[in-house]
Amino acid sequence: MSTETVSRVLVAGGPEGRPVRPAGAPPAAAGPVVVVEPVGAWGALHLRETWEHRELLLFLTLRDVKVRYKQTVLGLGWVVLLPLLTAIVFTVFLGNVARVDSGGVPYPLFVYSALLPWTFFASAVTSGAGSVVGSAHLVTKVYFPRVIVPAAAIAARLVDFAISFLVLVGMMLVYQVAPTRNLLMIPVLVVLVSLLSFAFGLMLAGINVRWRDVGMAVPVLLQLWMFASPVVYSASMVPARWRTLYNLNPVVGIVGNFRVAVSGGAFDWPALGISAAATVVLLALSAYVFARVERNFADYI
């Protein structure tokens, strides 16, 4: 137990005050009662302790990857098939039937280049939201920075993203889309969407422990969110009078610019700036919310 995260250690009969007993716990027969709390309301990230527990983070990440595809016939092949099949469905109905304007980019590449960051974001948020409840056997038995649990769930999705990205490279070759220097923005956008996913995943993971309705509602809300983001259509199709409000969606600047990084064109820097600012604000808010609720995890899990 690191001394950095122990903001208050109360010992029965000690000089710092009366003893504190966690809710629901039986009265202690004898001995000290120790309460471990984060340092301040923003201490949920535990950056130093998380780094000290990096091996646990790696272990939980690999565990998530292995468990998810264990007992499946195709294994990691599902990582490629899921976004690819989704792209085929959208290509048939929106690209060929509805004739959605793709700005001269082949529609399969157009939609897949946006589905890639979106699929990562949606799956990372869903996994992060249920991560703490799914790791009840760890959370209730041993101390470690709880932030590691949603962080590992989201890191596991990065493995999926890396594999799916190879399909995108193959599609660029098939459709003879020459790479441009815009590709240099890909790492920046990946970091940004990872941080945004972590912000939402961390907040929802904490709230989901108390109210399990969150875990049920997240997949449905993400489906609606996808159609409010430029995944199957271009942001240029949104009427100009709604564009400012539309860009407040933090996913717009990431998904739209990821597509530009792949197929070329001019980046939408204002939208990207809004996404970056929203990510910073959401990270701070998520750390605050998680710090407020994590002390009661053992009571509700």
Side-chain angles (χ1 to χ4, degrees):
M1 180 175 64
S2 170
T3 55
E4 183 183 352
T5 60
V6 180
S7 63
R8 188 158 56 99
V9 178
L10 301 181
V11 180
E16 297 187 48
R18 61 186 177 83
V20 174
R21 177 167 57 87
V33 177
V34 180
V35 179
V36 181
E37 295 179 343
V39 180
W42 308 101
L45 294 181
H46 303 288
L47 294 179
R48 179 180 292 183
E49 274 205 312
T50 302
W51 175 250
E52 292 173 352
H53 289 76
R54 59 189 179 279
E55 291 185 358
L56 177 61
L57 176 61
L58 178 61
F59 171 80
L60 293 179
T61 300
L62 295 177
R63 183 205 61 173
D64 283 359
V65 174
K66 291 178 181 176
V67 168
R68 187 145 36 93
Y69 299 106
K70 190 176 182 180
Q71 302 298 328
T72 61
V73 176
L74 297 179
L76 287 174
W78 285 110
V79 175
V80 175
L81 278 178
L82 289 177
L84 194 58
L85 291 175
T86 306
I88 290 174
V89 171
F90 284 141
T91 298
V92 170
F93 290 99
L94 297 179
N96 297 338
V97 178
R99 301 282 184 185
V100 173
D101 182 19
S102 60
V105 180
Y107 193 82
L109 179 63
F110 174 86
V111 71
Y112 189 85
S113 60
L115 271 174
L116 190 57
W118 170 259
T119 302
F120 165 71
F121 173 76
S123 59
V125 170
T126 303
S127 299
S131 59
V132 174
V133 173
S135 300
H137 58 290
L138 285 177
V139 174
T140 56
K141 287 183 172 60
V142 62
Y143 173 78
F144 63 92
R146 303 297 189 244
V147 70
I148 284 180
V149 178
I154 293 166
R157 291 299 191 259
L158 275 174
V159 176
D160 298 354
F161 178 87
I163 296 173
S164 299
F165 190 85
L166 298 177
V167 177
L168 179 62
V169 174
M171 294 180 72
M172 292 177 68
L173 293 174
V174 169
Y175 290 105
Q176 299 180 344
V177 175
T180 66
R181 61 180 181 181
N182 283 6
L183 283 175
L184 297 176
M185 278 294 291
I186 293 287
V188 177
L189 294 168
V190 171
V191 170
L192 191 56
V193 72
S194 300
L195 292 176
L196 184 64
S197 305
F198 178 66
F200 278 106
L202 181 66
M203 181 187 299
L204 295 176
I207 298 174
N208 190 43
V209 173
R210 180 66 179 86
W211 293 282
R212 306 294 169 87
D213 309 73
V214 172
M216 303 294 180
V218 165
V220 177
L221 294 176
L222 284 171
Q223 287 291 326
L224 298 176
W225 196 350
M226 185 186 75
F227 290 101
S229 305
V231 177
V232 297
Y233 59 88
S234 172
S236 61
M237 297 179 66
V238 178
R241 65 179 182 278
W242 295 107
R243 194 69 57 76
T244 302
L245 180 63
Y246 183 71
N247 286 344
L248 293 179
N249 176 355
V251 177
V252 169
I254 297 174
V255 171
N257 284 296
F258 195 95
R259 177 182 286 143
V260 171
V262 172
S263 56
F267 287 110
D268 187 348
W269 295 109
L272 186 60
I274 292 174
S275 297
T279 299
V280 172
V281 172
L282 286 168
L283 274 174
L285 180 62
S286 300
Y288 176 79
V289 171
F290 196 82
R292 297 280 295 180
V293 299
E294 73 166 322
R295 68 190 64 180
N296 297 321
F297 278 173
D299 299 327
Y300 293 115
I301 288 182

